[in-house]
Amino acid sequence: MSATEKKLSGKIAFVTGASRGIGRAIALRLAQDGAKVALNFASNSAKAEEVKSAIEAQGGAAILLQGDVSKFEVVTELIKKVVDEWGRLDILINNAGITRDNLLLKMSEDDFDKVISTNLKGVFNCTKAVTKLMMKQRCGRIVNMSSVVALKGNISQTNYAAAKAGIIGFTKSAARELASRGVTVNAVAPGLINTDMTAALSEKVKELMLQEIPAGRMGTPEDVANAVAFLVSDEAAYITGQVLSVDGGMAM
Ligand code: NAP
């Protein structure tokens, strides 16, 4: 690497849920590190456009790819677009996620299914869609967004915790399948991070959660992006099948 070359120069990344919050911060960070970034989102075109403009303003390259990660055929088409545009795909960040919180007694079947299909099946869909390509390239980095809730459980989040714990099992299994081809698969487990998702929580719930965080503060999307930037770098080539908590000590 020359002095002017960046860590991820020449790399192509696909980030799901890149219009807001953690996905946005990851996309910006990977672009700063030199990657070209495909920005996936569900419906918020205005926010996604802002991220694209911010990347371009820093001299980076980005494309927008609207589409629902829970639909396999949609995801396959999006991955094809990335490869048509840039010829390869080195980094997949499975970040898109939703919550539909409710006590088990009150949780509808639809709320359970929606969270599983977006948060867990979405990870399967995107990973499956890139697997052949990454195996052929004999290199690749996949990072899946789990959660502290997968490790500890949480009241009103049986659907979300099941999906996020499922991601950990998925990550370890995919890591075993792909390791010999130079593809690493890891999970990041954020704690309480300041985004639209947690803005929906009441102040009382946030206060209670803060008491459980040894670091004494919420995390920022950039805290999570820093960990992801490490896991996709060459320095992390020998790290696979791991779950990296980014939670101020919350899960320990
Ligand atoms: P957020 O601010 O609510 O943003 C969610 C992102 O996901 C948006 O870009 C949204 O797109 C996209 N998205 C939602 N459903 C989608 C679908 N079906 N297909 C494609 N994109 C979809 O969430 P966040 O807080 O940044 O969370 C990001 C990830 O981290 C999630 O997996 C979440 O579970 C996980 N996480 C978050 C926290 C936390 O404290 N915030 C903690 C642990 C784990 P639109 O803008 O178009 O809606």
Side-chain angles (χ1 to χ4, degrees):
M1 190 164 74
S2 74
T4 51
E5 210 174 319
K6 296 180 178 175
K7 256 188 352 185
L8 299 179
S9 286
K11 303 282 188 199
I12 309 300
F14 179 77
V15 182
T16 70
S19 48
R20 292 181 286 125
I22 294 170
R24 174 184 187 277
I26 292 169
L28 289 169
R29 174 59 191 270
L30 299 187
Q32 269 164 26
D33 286 351
K36 291 177 181 167
V37 189
L39 308 166
N40 161 256
F41 61 101
S43 60
N44 207 328
S45 309
K47 288 284 176 192
E49 197 62 64
E50 276 176 32
V51 181
K52 181 172 186 277
S53 301
I55 288 174
E56 288 168 350
Q58 325 173 131
I63 54 171
L64 295 181
L65 293 176
Q66 179 170 16
D68 181 349
V69 293
S70 71
K71 308 270 189 300
F72 184 70
E73 64 288 359
V74 170
V75 169
T76 309
E77 204 39 51
L78 298 184
I79 300 294
K80 186 175 173 304
K81 282 189 183 151
V82 180
V83 179
D84 286 350
E85 180 80 16
W86 287 322
R88 55 186 290 122
L89 181 54
D90 305 281
I91 297 167
L92 166 66
I93 312 295
N94 282 312
N95 164 79
I98 56 167
T99 49
R100 293 282 186 280
D101 296 354
N102 217 332
L103 294 171
L104 186 51
L105 269 176
K106 294 182 183 168
M107 186 175 289
S108 69
E109 187 182 357
D110 187 53
D111 283 345
F112 188 84
D113 288 346
K114 275 221 167 68
V115 168
I116 296 292
S117 64
T118 302
N119 296 12
L120 181 57
K121 184 158 180 262
V123 174
F124 164 79
N125 289 342
C126 296
T127 307
K128 186 170 164 65
V130 306
T131 294
K132 204 171 181 180
L133 182 70
M134 286 189 178
M135 284 173 90
K136 230 165 101 185
Q137 289 174 180
R138 295 204 157 258
C139 71
R141 293 280 186 276
I142 300 171
V143 178
N144 301 324
M145 210 49 69
S146 181
S147 167
V148 65
V149 166
L151 308 171
K152 285 166 65 88
N154 199 20
I155 288 170
S156 290
Q157 291 201 312
T158 50
N159 50 359
Y160 185 81
K164 294 299 182 180
I167 285 175
I168 293 177
F170 179 90
T171 298
K172 292 181 181 184
S173 303
R176 285 184 185 274
E177 288 189 25
L178 302 179
S180 66
R181 305 300 182 104
V183 180
T184 69
V185 190
N186 289 290
V188 169
L192 183 65
I193 310 296
N194 198 358
T195 67
D196 292 346
M197 188 178 272
T198 47
L201 299 171
S202 73
E203 282 310 311
K204 193 175 158 227
V205 168
K206 273 196 249 184
E207 259 319 303
L208 286 171
M209 289 178 87
L210 271 173
Q211 287 169 20
E212 285 186 54
I213 303 174
R217 65 166 176 90
M218 288 181 85
T220 64
E222 291 72 25
D223 288 324
V224 183
N226 289 338
V228 172
F230 168 64
L231 288 173
V232 303
S233 72
D234 285 346
E235 287 98 325
Y238 202 54
I239 300 174
T240 197
Q242 300 305 302
V243 184
L244 179 53
S245 288
V246 182
D247 65 359
M250 195 179 184
M252 71 176 164

